[in-house]
Amino acid sequence: MASAEAGLATATAARVLAMQALRSVLGAMPDADLAAAPEAAPVVTGDQWLSGHPLLRALQDQVEIARRTRDLARVQTRAHPELAVQATRDRGAFGEPYGQSITVGVRIPFGTDDRGQAKVAHADAEQIEAETLLANERQRLAAEADAAAARLAAARQVAEAADRRA
């Protein structure tokens, strides 16, 4: 009986690992089958573990940077004015002294530019990519946590069965 319980625990852990692999291929799946195994509950809740994960914090920062870049691109609809200062030094002939001149120019863009629209579209695409990457990594890490909890529960059951057998 103890050997059978140990085998069942090992098979349950293998099933959870197989479900994790299937979930990584197919994407999000309903967790009804995994919820049926009460021994797969992690010791530390997934939200507590995932909220402090360094990879997810870095990805959350990337999402925030992408969001702020998108907001900035939407506000900056045209190019900034430009101020140009040029100093020249020349002489008319070989024996003449050098003459110096300073030229000041101002360039003010009035029209909207297609580059601004492309900049906003690029910033939107970067934000969507960062959010998708964050969601995928969060799902992957949650699946890894579930699988690790299932392996831990299976190892505990195997150890209990070995104690009873002994």
Side-chain angles (χ1 to χ4, degrees), residues 2-105:
S3 295
E5 288 176 358
L8 176 65
T10 305
T12 303
R15 181 177 135 276
V16 171
L17 290 175
M19 289 297 290
Q20 175 193 0
L22 184 63
R23 188 184 310 155
S24 68
V25 172
L26 296 179
M29 289 178 41
D31 290 336
D33 292 335
L34 293 178
E39 65 273 357
V43 176
V44 178
T45 63
D47 293 338
Q48 290 173 345
W49 183 76
L50 289 177
S51 65
H53 198 279
L55 178 62
L56 291 182
R57 282 190 299 196
L59 290 174
Q60 288 169 349
D61 290 343
Q62 285 181 359
V63 168
E64 183 64 21
I65 288 170
R67 186 188 61 78
R68 289 184 184 207
T69 302
R70 185 208 57 204
D71 292 344
L72 181 64
R74 287 186 178 174
V75 170
Q76 294 178 341
T77 57
R78 56 183 164 192
H80 298 292
E82 295 178 7
L83 175 66
V85 178
Q86 178 182 1
T88 56
R89 185 174 176 206
D90 62 345
R91 60 182 176 182
F94 179 67
E96 294 180 8
Y98 283 99
Q100 296 184 1
S101 64
I102 296 178
T103 307
V104 177

